[in-house]
Amino acid sequence: MHGPASSGWLLVALCAATGIYCLLRMRSSVEEQRRTAGGEALMGFGMAAMAVPAAVFTPPSWAWPVYAVVFGAAGLHALWAARSGARHLHHPLGAGAMVYMAVAMAVSPGPGQGHPHGSSGIPLLTGVLLLYFTGYVLVTGVRLVPVTAVAGNPAPGAGGASGWGDRPELARACRLSMGIAMVVMLLTM
């Protein structure tokens, strides 16, 4: 992605840490959490790879189409899983945004070829995605506040048997982190 190297490395660290936590969440005893965590881990690691500053590492030209295919497949899988409820539509939208960014980077000229900052992609589509993910970040942040206020109280029916990977406030914080990272990545296009 384009932008300052220091913010790029912070984004890499945030996305990689989120991906690692999502991998740990895959050990949950709840099947839906395991499935969701797998997709979120892929998203976190993919975002970390895309956020590596271009001044440090410029991916080969074949990498962007590979990203598009991987996230296209992840988006189709997430869309199939979303047939059970509209609340799962965020995952195909996130994968679609990753496909869009990969395609935009694949068709944009490389560094030193007259590619000014912020000129990749279709401005209207980028704007729509920015609106969606900004709204998602705000809503997720609001939903996170009440949960952290009662974090010491176990969830109804939890009975204390769930592990730290099954805590809903940590999963929400993970999704919030990835939403913020998506906004940043879209802003730097």
Side-chain angles (χ1 to χ4, degrees):
M1 299 306 299
H2 308 290
S6 60
S7 62
W9 285 118
L10 288 172
L11 197 57
V12 168
L14 174 71
C15 293
T18 301
I20 290 168
Y21 175 70
C22 290
L23 281 179
L24 294 174
R25 281 184 37 228
M26 288 180 67
R27 300 182 326 178
S28 172
S29 60
V30 180
E31 181 183 349
E32 183 178 348
Q33 287 185 20
R34 284 192 308 266
R35 248 182 308 150
T36 302
E40 290 171 353
L42 175 67
M43 185 72 69
F45 289 126
M47 291 172 73
M50 288 178 86
V52 172
V56 175
F57 174 72
T58 302
S61 61
W62 55 263
W64 298 116
V66 169
Y67 283 142
V69 168
V70 167
F71 285 104
L76 289 174
H77 182 267
L79 193 59
W80 179 257
R83 73 190 189 289
S84 64
R87 67 185 184 97
H88 296 288
L89 286 177
H90 172 72
H91 292 109
L93 281 170
M98 293 292 285
V99 169
Y100 166 67
M101 288 189 286
V103 169
M105 295 306 289
V107 298
S108 71
Q113 298 176 345
H115 183 255
H117 171 70
S119 66
S120 298
I122 302 166
L124 180 62
L125 183 53
T126 303
V128 168
L129 288 170
L130 272 169
L131 283 174
Y132 171 76
F133 283 102
T134 300
Y136 179 80
V137 165
L138 293 173
V139 168
T140 303
V142 167
R143 288 183 181 160
L144 187 60
V145 172
V147 173
T148 55
V150 294
N153 299 335
S162 63
W164 63 270
D166 291 330
R167 294 183 57 183
E169 69 274 12
L170 292 177
R172 284 189 188 116
C174 174
R175 292 181 193 114
L176 178 65
S177 297
M178 285 195 292
I180 291 169
M182 188 68 78
V183 168
V184 171
M185 290 175 77
L186 286 165
L187 284 172
T188 60
M189 283 187 60

